[in-house]
Every structure is written in structure tokens, then in C-alpha cells.
Amino acid sequence: MVQIAFCDDNTDELNRIRALLDAFQPFEGSYEITVFSGGSELLQSEKRPFDLLFLDVQMPELDGYETARRIRETDQNTVLIFLTGVAAPTVEVFQVTPFRYLMKQMDDATIQKELLAAFEEVTRRSQFVTIRSGNDLIRLNVASLLYLTIAGRSVELVTDHGRQEVRAKLSELFELLAPHGFSYSHKSYLVNFNRILSISGNTVIMENGDILPISQPKAKSFKQEFVRFAGMRL
């Protein structure tokens, strides 16, 4: 069951977005919608974390930006969509990694297109792979994995929940993860394109702040792959 939340003190706008969403019947109809009128109410909810969250920017007491900042302290995997009628995005907005920033005056056709993209992103973030580590099997949420790096005879997985070493070859894990948007930035690093914050020169800056190298032989192809991937996600 996919958990969807709306947080908006404007019931008219909320009902509009909800009606457009319900018209699609996403996730084969297996979803539940919870409505909140303010950020404090959302933060106190026992239903968190949500898979998909529509968050109004202009709310009294606790605005959408501050609400999102507190949400991201624990709910890293939530697909976050900001809704606004007047405010333009700022640098601070992107620090909470929203998936979309929607203007309320957008027409229904545009919002429907963005909703479809959001549904696809929720599905992507719920994908798992099974990694063999020696005689053990590890089930891993793909979206939570930032990058992998060689650590002696093992491979270190860097995830939202910490670091873990597995007894496997990086080349084998590449075959498993490449279909999910992973590529080599260096012979010792396998990077999740979805979790890149920026590329600067011959380094990759990940969402957790880690700075990874891009080797000279892979620089051109890696950057081209990332541009193509980013284009597909728009």
C-alpha cells in the first residue's frame, strides 16, 4: 500500500490535486491518502514516513521549507513535491531534495504530467536488489544506495543508513545495478546517478556531502552518461 500525504491549508487547491491524482488510480489503486492542514500536524503523524508528499510552501506558523527540512532529518526516501502560488525556488529549497516544484497556477494537463513522473519515481524508490555476500544474501533498497567503493577484498556500500561491507566484486555489482542508474566514475567507485548533487571538474559531490573522484579515462563517458540520465529524469 503506497502512502500519500497532502499538507496544505487551502482545501480548494488540495481537492483539485487530489482529484487529478485519483483520476489516474496509480499503483493499481493500492494507495492511501492522508490530509494535513499544517506542518506541525504532519510532523507529529504516526503514519510517517510517506512514499509521496505534496507540501504547500506558504503555510502559517510552520512553512513548507522548514517542514521539509525536519522531514528530511528522518524521511530520506519520501518523494517530495512542493506546491506554491507565488514563491520562486531558492538555494535552500534544493537542500531538501524535492522531486518537483509545482506552481498552483499550472493547468491540469501540466500537473497531470508531473503526477505521472512522481508515480514513476515512487515506484523506482521502492525497488530492491539482492546482493550475495559470501554465503549471505542481502536485500537492499536501490534508492538508499549512494555509491559503492572497493575496500580491500570487499566492497563498501554507502547508504542512507550507514556503511556496510560485502564480500563481492565491484564488477559483479555493476551488472546488477547498471539498469538502476549506476555507473563507474573511477575503477574503484560505482555511483548512483540519482544521488549525485553536482559534478565539479573531476569530482562528484554526492547528496551526503562525500566527494568522489572521476578518473581521467572515464571522465568524458561518465559525464555524458550523467547528462543523458538527467535528461531522461526531467
Side-chain angles (χ1 to χ4, degrees):
M1 177 74 72
V2 174
Q3 296 295 325
I4 302 173
F6 286 89
C7 186
D8 195 330
D9 60 339
N10 185 328
T11 56
D12 290 339
E13 190 62 34
L14 186 153
N15 290 335
R16 177 198 177 205
I17 302 294
R18 180 169 181 171
L20 293 172
L21 185 152
D22 284 335
F24 285 117
Q25 283 295 296
F27 316 111
E28 299 181 347
S30 182
Y31 65 92
E32 180 181 23
I33 294 176
T34 306
V35 177
F36 302 96
S37 60
S40 296
E41 183 185 4
L42 167 63
L43 291 169
Q44 294 168 9
S45 173
E46 295 182 355
K47 289 188 175 182
R48 288 177 50 202
F50 292 96
D51 300 296
L52 177 59
L53 169 61
F54 295 87
L55 184 58
D56 185 24
V57 171
Q58 294 88 23
M59 294 186 294
E61 297 182 13
L62 198 63
D63 67 22
Y65 297 152
E66 178 60 19
T67 301
R69 188 190 66 77
R70 298 187 190 182
I71 285 284
R72 281 294 187 237
E73 290 177 356
T74 54
D75 305 355
Q76 294 293 331
N77 207 40
T78 296
V79 176
L80 172 62
I81 296 180
F82 278 124
L83 300 172
T84 181
V86 295
T90 63
V91 172
E92 290 74 18
V93 172
F94 296 102
Q95 292 176 349
V96 295
T97 58
F99 178 68
R100 288 291 191 271
Y101 195 94
L102 302 183
M103 304 297 292
K104 293 182 177 181
Q105 54 266 41
M106 288 177 173
D107 58 44
D108 286 357
T110 301
I111 290 181
Q112 286 174 328
K113 180 180 178 181
E114 300 294 357
L115 288 177
L116 287 173
F119 301 155
E120 292 177 358
E121 181 68 6
V122 170
T123 299
R124 184 192 68 78
R125 295 191 187 188
S126 64
Q127 292 176 333
F128 288 80
V129 294
T130 301
I131 294 176
R132 182 176 294 277
S133 175
N135 294 322
D136 300 328
L137 294 175
I138 300 172
R139 187 169 181 263
L140 183 69
N141 179 270
V142 177
S144 72
L145 182 56
L146 286 92
Y147 65 92
L148 305 82
T149 183
I150 294 176
R153 296 184 178 181
S154 301
V155 173
E156 184 177 55
L157 312 179
V158 180
T159 77
D160 289 326
H161 311 294
R163 297 170 182 260
Q164 179 179 6
E165 287 194 11
V166 297
R167 288 174 290 166
K169 293 182 179 179
L170 194 61
S171 58
E172 296 173 348
L173 297 178
F174 170 71
E175 296 297 327
L176 180 66
L177 293 168
H180 299 281
F182 285 72
S183 186
Y184 286 103
S185 67
H186 182 284
K187 65 179 181 180
S188 299
Y189 290 89
L190 189 57
V191 178
N192 186 349
F193 279 145
N194 286 288
R195 305 302 302 274
I196 291 177
L197 188 62
S198 66
I199 295 178
S200 178
N202 287 327
T203 59
V204 182
I205 302 175
M206 305 304 296
E207 288 181 359
N208 67 345
D210 287 358
I211 301 175
L212 313 180
I214 303 175
S215 66
Q216 191 60 40
K218 295 186 180 296
K220 183 177 180 180
S221 62
F222 180 78
K223 292 176 182 179
Q224 288 175 340
E225 283 185 72
F226 178 66
V227 169
R228 284 196 297 269
F229 182 83
M232 291 172 61
R233 303 302 303 171
L234 293 177

